[in-house]
Amino acid sequence: MDSSRLFSSSSPMLSDRPPTRDGDELIQPLESADLRGFWDNAPRVSASPSTHGATSHSDDPKAVAKSLHDLVVKVVDKKAHKGAKAVGQTAQEFCDLYETQDVAARSAFLDLLSREFCKPRGTASDAARAYLDSTSHSDEPAQSALQAHVLRDSLTPLYADLFDQINRLPEGFAFLVHMRTDMLGLIRTGGKSSAIQAMSDFLMRRLQMWIVGTLDLKRITWNSPACTIEKLEQYESVHAVRSWMDIKRRLGNGRRCFGFFHRNAPREPLIFVWVALTDVIPDNVQSILLEREQPKSSEANAKCAIFYSISSQVGLARVDLGNFLIKRVVSVLRTEMPNIETFCTLSPLPRFRSWLDKLLSPESLVSPPQDIGISESEQNNLISRVPGAKTWTAALKNLVDRRGWTADPEAVDAMEPVIRLLGAHYLTKVKRGTGSSAADPVANFHLRNGSCLHRVNWRGDTSYHGLRQSLGLMCNYNYVLDRIEDNSESYVADGTIAISGTDPYIARVQSLAKAKL
């Protein structure tokens, strides 16, 4: 199999052109002192995506919603305007007003938009009858195709006209991504309704359609525009950026950052990935995040490209760009650095702790599960760390619920084999619902892309966030280039998880599963 074609462009939204570098587009490079001043003086952006761009507060959200409503009417009412220019100006007025509002005003308007403009453009019943008549009484396929188009158009909600007009504006695509972020925020905070959900899903499908053929891959460097670097901090969702020095390290020698940019918003990454160039596959993310910048010559000796974080804008949830981004970056790195032999991730297990909490139910504290495969000596070592504990599950729950357990080296040593085995079991055996897909969303993403589960890493992320979501557990997914297509097909077909490497805990889980057959 020719592995090179796996990472060539087969989609119209991608190209084989090398990525442009934002820094190369600047007439005068952004100096370190300038960027430090920018970080020192920049306002901190709220973690809530629903506050994007909000600069004013409305005393009467309903009045603002009414003003926005009137502008929408002008956009969707074909008789209320003359010419595309007038429609574009009205759509721009809408965007300008929307961006200045606070969360309350935006929420009130989105609720109004989802309810009052969800009606179809035309009379669907008449269009449906015409379509059925054309298929029953006409021998002309073109007539049926025309009526099918009329039917689809009649079923399209009115707010589609608003979205279409905004998408035609400069940076309109980015505005719609942020607008969908507000919709998702409203859904998450208890404002969920079938109308809001339907509008969010409709806009998601529109974004997915519009994005084809509009993306450019760029390498983001220390000399990229400050506004682009600010977005890295704002949208990073895996390993939080603490300061401008974090960014400088992540963009230094031995590091790479690549992102997809929409051509109408060339300085705002829609999705981006951080890459570390290393000698070996790392088992700890702090060694990447906190390592001092390496000399430029070290890149020539690197053997591994490690994808340690990938983040996209919230408004693009369920728009699959990550798969394309990783494959494009692999293609670029293979061309730029032929010394790189391994393409691997260092990935979190975002739902491991919540799964473990359910596993350690009151019933299991008395009668532990028997399908994990924890040895008797591992159970006894864990129990010995908690006076009075009768089972390994009770001892483990006591330890993980205890504040400061990471400062007890003997407890950490006793927990390691148990947690690593539980992690291997969780990744390979725990499924989503009644299907065959991995329950962990990050695992499902990489396995669908064709990677191999390589290794489970104890104390892979010792930050507060890492300990809280997975007790510090991380794992590596290895993109073995000549196995990617077969791995992906097998996983999608029946949930088969490809394995690489010799992780003893993954091997134990596999052996236990084979013994039960």
Side-chain angles (χ1 to χ4, degrees):
M1 180 184 296
D2 181 6
S3 63
S4 63
R5 67 185 178 88
L6 299 173
F7 293 95
S8 64
S9 172
S10 59
S11 168
M13 79 177 183
L14 306 177
S15 72
D16 288 324
R17 292 180 290 111
T20 60
R21 300 179 184 227
D22 273 341
D24 295 342
E25 299 168 3
L26 296 176
I27 296 175
Q28 293 184 348
L30 184 66
E31 298 296 336
S32 303
D34 297 331
L35 188 59
R36 181 169 188 173
F38 163 78
W39 281 113
D40 290 342
N41 297 315
R44 295 295 90 192
V45 180
S46 169
S48 171
S50 298
T51 61
H52 178 89
T55 57
S56 70
H57 296 271
S58 170
D59 294 331
D60 188 356
K62 291 184 178 180
V64 175
K66 179 64 168 57
S67 298
L68 290 166
H69 172 277
D70 293 344
L71 290 171
V72 176
V73 170
K74 290 182 180 180
V75 172
V76 302
D77 186 353
K78 306 301 183 184
K79 298 179 181 179
H81 53 74
K82 296 180 180 179
K85 182 177 180 181
V87 183
Q89 289 175 342
T90 304
Q92 187 63 62
E93 288 179 32
F94 168 86
C95 294
D96 293 342
L97 179 57
Y98 183 90
E99 284 188 324
T100 61
Q101 302 310 309
D102 61 12
V103 175
R106 292 184 182 192
S107 298
F109 166 72
L110 291 174
D111 180 64
L112 188 66
L113 182 68
S114 68
R115 288 184 291 102
E116 294 201 11
F117 293 88
C118 65
K119 299 176 183 178
R121 289 169 172 165
T123 306
S125 57
D126 292 343
R129 279 192 292 270
Y131 172 71
L132 291 174
D133 288 342
S134 70
T135 57
S136 301
H137 304 106
S138 175
D139 296 328
E140 179 56 54
Q143 182 63 24
S144 297
L146 176 62
Q147 292 300 329
H149 175 77
V150 172
L151 177 58
R152 283 193 298 270
D153 190 63
S154 70
L155 292 171
T156 302
L158 289 171
Y159 48 61
D161 290 324
L162 174 67
F163 300 153
D164 290 346
Q165 291 299 331
I166 292 175
N167 185 54
R168 296 187 179 102
L169 299 174
E171 301 196 11
F173 184 90
F175 175 90
L176 290 171
V177 172
H178 299 149
M179 192 179 192
R180 183 164 183 256
T181 299
D182 293 338
M183 296 177 192
L184 295 173
L186 181 59
I187 292 170
R188 283 194 303 271
T189 55
K192 183 174 183 178
S193 69
S194 57
I196 291 282
Q197 186 68 61
M199 184 169 67
S200 172
D201 290 345
F202 179 87
L203 181 54
M204 181 270 294
R205 291 189 292 271
R206 274 293 205 262
L207 294 172
Q208 198 158 20
M209 176 180 66
W210 289 329
I211 213 166
V212 174
T214 64
L215 296 183
D216 289 323
L217 179 70
K218 293 184 181 181
R219 178 182 168 189
I220 304 169
T221 71
W222 182 242
N223 286 332
S224 294
C227 60
T228 298
I229 294 177
E230 180 192 22
K231 298 301 182 184
L232 299 181
E233 182 229 13
Q234 183 178 348
Y235 298 140
E236 172 62 29
S237 61
V238 183
H239 302 294
V241 174
R242 298 176 300 173
S243 68
W244 70 275
M245 282 301 298
D246 273 358
I247 292 284
K248 189 167 190 250
R249 275 194 294 266
R250 298 185 196 191
L251 297 176
N253 294 331
R255 302 290 182 264
R256 296 288 189 273
C257 183
F258 295 92
F260 274 145
F261 292 74
H262 193 277
R263 290 170 190 171
N264 285 343
R267 295 194 174 188
E268 181 167 349
L270 299 178
I271 184 171
F272 56 93
V273 62
W274 300 97
V275 185
L277 307 177
T278 63
D279 297 332
V280 297
I281 298 175
D283 60 4
N284 178 278
V285 76
Q286 273 70 44
S287 65
I288 293 175
L289 298 177
L290 302 179
E291 185 179 41
R292 292 186 177 181
E293 185 173 346
Q294 301 297 305
K296 181 67 175 177
S297 59
S298 66
E299 294 186 356
N301 299 320
K303 300 299 181 184
C304 305
I306 307 300
F307 302 92
Y308 64 92
S309 175
I310 184 168
S311 300
S312 66
Q313 294 194 32
V314 175
L316 289 171
R318 293 168 55 200
V319 178
D320 185 13
L321 294 179
N323 181 26
F324 296 116
L325 178 60
I326 288 178
K327 290 180 178 179
R328 281 287 285 120
V329 171
V330 168
S331 178
V332 168
L333 290 175
R334 292 183 74 199
T335 301
E336 177 188 351
M337 306 185 70
N339 50 297
I340 298 294
E341 301 171 350
T342 300
F343 298 89
C344 200
T345 78
L346 183 55
S347 300
L349 285 67
R351 296 182 184 171
F352 174 73
R353 179 62 193 271
S354 61
W355 169 80
L356 182 61
D357 287 341
K358 292 178 181 178
L359 179 72
L360 300 179
S361 63
E363 294 78 13
S364 73
L365 301 185
V366 177
S367 179
Q370 301 299 312
D371 61 343
I372 306 295
I374 299 173
S375 69
E376 184 175 350
S377 62
E378 290 168 343
Q379 294 183 36
N380 291 335
N381 286 341
L382 199 59
I383 292 171
S384 68
R385 302 309 311 156
V386 181
K390 303 297 184 182
T391 63
W392 69 265
T393 46
L396 181 60
K397 181 171 178 57
N398 180 283
L399 290 172
V400 299
D401 289 345
R402 183 188 301 175
R403 291 176 63 88
W405 62 266
T406 57
D408 183 346
E410 293 183 350
V412 169
D413 288 344
M415 290 171 65
E416 177 180 357
V418 176
I419 297 297
R420 288 185 67 180
L421 191 61
L422 286 168
H425 175 88
Y426 166 73
L427 291 171
T428 59
K429 300 302 175 186
V430 181
K431 304 300 181 181
R432 182 178 305 177
T434 58
S436 59
S437 298
D440 188 84
V442 176
N444 186 57
F445 169 75
H446 288 295
L447 295 172
R448 282 184 67 89
N449 291 349
S451 68
C452 303
L453 179 61
H454 184 73
R455 185 174 63 204
V456 178
N457 301 309
W458 173 241
R459 294 180 66 78
D461 183 359
T462 54
S463 68
Y464 171 78
H465 178 68
L467 292 170
R468 185 167 59 90
Q469 75 171 358
S470 64
L471 301 178
L473 212 60
M474 297 192 81
C475 65
N476 303 112
Y477 298 99
N478 190 4
Y479 282 83
V480 182
L481 302 187
D482 60 358
R483 296 175 58 185
I484 284 178
E485 285 187 342
D486 292 340
N487 291 346
S488 179
E489 289 178 3
S490 297
Y491 178 75
V492 171
D494 56 18
T496 299
I497 296 176
I499 306 296
S500 67
T502 56
D503 185 293
Y505 297 94
I506 296 175
R508 283 173 59 180
V509 172
Q510 288 184 302
S511 297
L512 183 63
K514 290 179 180 179
K516 292 181 178 179
L517 295 178

